[in-house]
Amino acid sequence: DTGVSQNPRHKITKRGQNVTFRCDPISEHNRLYWYRQTLGQGPEFLTYFQNEAQLEKSRLLSDRFSAERPKGSFSTLEIQRTEQGDSAMYLCASSLGLGLAQSTFTDTQYFGPGTRLTVL
Amino acid sequence: GEDVEQSLFLSVREGDSSVINCTYTDSSSTYLYWYKQEPGAGLQLLTYIFSNMDMKQDQRLTVLLNKKDKHLSLRIADTQTGDSAIYFCAEKESGYSTLTFGKGTMLLVSP
């Protein structure tokens, strides 16, 4: 396995357009996470899935954002009616998530290369 | 809420040791991580430490954890120009799966 992959790597769009990003996790990982990183900042959590279930969403995830993981494998993140403030790097990560108590298991997250979104 | 802070910039000469520092506020943090990010790339996991440990060494990397002061450091021995990147400290809070990151420390290694 070559790690987490994301497509596209770069996306330029005009304000008001919809965009969709894809993430393919490491194959045996059942947890998948989306983060957003703006210039000069660390990644900020958006949402995460265990298998196909979306277990947590950040308050950063406005109604214009939706994420899916229909078969518990790849995930998509859609942004509707993009705004200039959506310009950022969108990072996907995956982890093994063995289902053990979270506090007793590191459940290390491995990140993909990211999709850089520019909204004009 | 949780907060992770790092100094923004560090400059060292090739061959010297680098020490990158991080402080965190959440006393229930279970794991603390160091990630490396090169320009335009995603995050590469470097190492992590469990909160009941004081130190972890992995080749050129040494992580020190002072749980009382909520202070974490990453020491890179024999720093090389290829180590130039942004280094992020991140914590995982007990009972949660998500990570909280600092703003990153830019390490610049000059020849």
Side-chain angles (χ1 to χ4, degrees), chain A residues 64-97:
Chain A
R64 296 183 297 107
F65 287 68
S66 62
E68 292 183 345
R69 195 181 183 201
K71 297 180 182 178
S73 57
F74 73 90
S75 175
T76 58
L77 177 67
E78 181 184 17
I79 309 174
Q80 296 182 325
R81 305 181 303 281
T82 52
E83 301 173 355
Q84 288 183 325
D86 297 331
S87 295
M89 174 83 92
Y90 290 83
L91 294 163
C92 175
S94 70
S95 69
L96 198 53

Side-chain angles (χ1 to χ4, degrees), chain A residues 9 15 28 30 35-36 39 41-42 54 71 76 78 81 83 95 98-99 103 106-107 109 114-115 117:
Chain A
R9 293 293 309 277
R15 191 176 53 186
E28 64 268 26
N30 66 9
Y35 290 82
R36 181 173 69 185
L39 201 61
Q41 302 294 316
Q54 190 172 15
K71 297 180 182 178
T76 58
E78 181 184 17
R81 305 181 303 281
E83 301 173 355
S95 69
L98 291 178
S103 63
T106 175
D107 201 22
Q109 295 179 28
T115 294
L117 172 66

Side-chain angles (χ1 to χ4, degrees), chain A residues 9 31 33 35 37 40-43 45 48 56 89 91 102-114 116, chain B residues 8 30-31 33 35 37 40-45 48 50 88 92-104:
Chain A
R9 293 293 309 277
R31 286 187 181 160
Y33 310 78
Y35 290 82
Q37 185 181 23
Q41 302 294 316
F45 167 73
Y48 98 93
E56 191 175 341
M89 174 83 92
L91 294 163
Q102 294 166 358
S103 63
T104 60
F105 176 57
T106 175
D107 201 22
T108 303
Q109 295 179 28
Y110 296 90
F111 282 79
R116 181 165 294 285
Chain B
L8 295 182
T30 54
Y31 282 93
Y33 302 81
Y35 285 87
Q37 186 176 39
L43 275 68
Q44 174 193 352
L45 175 69
Y48 63 87
F50 188 45
F88 290 95
K92 187 159 86 78
E93 191 181 350
S94 176
Y96 291 88
S97 293
T98 60
L99 298 177
T100 301
F101 286 86
K103 292 187 177 182

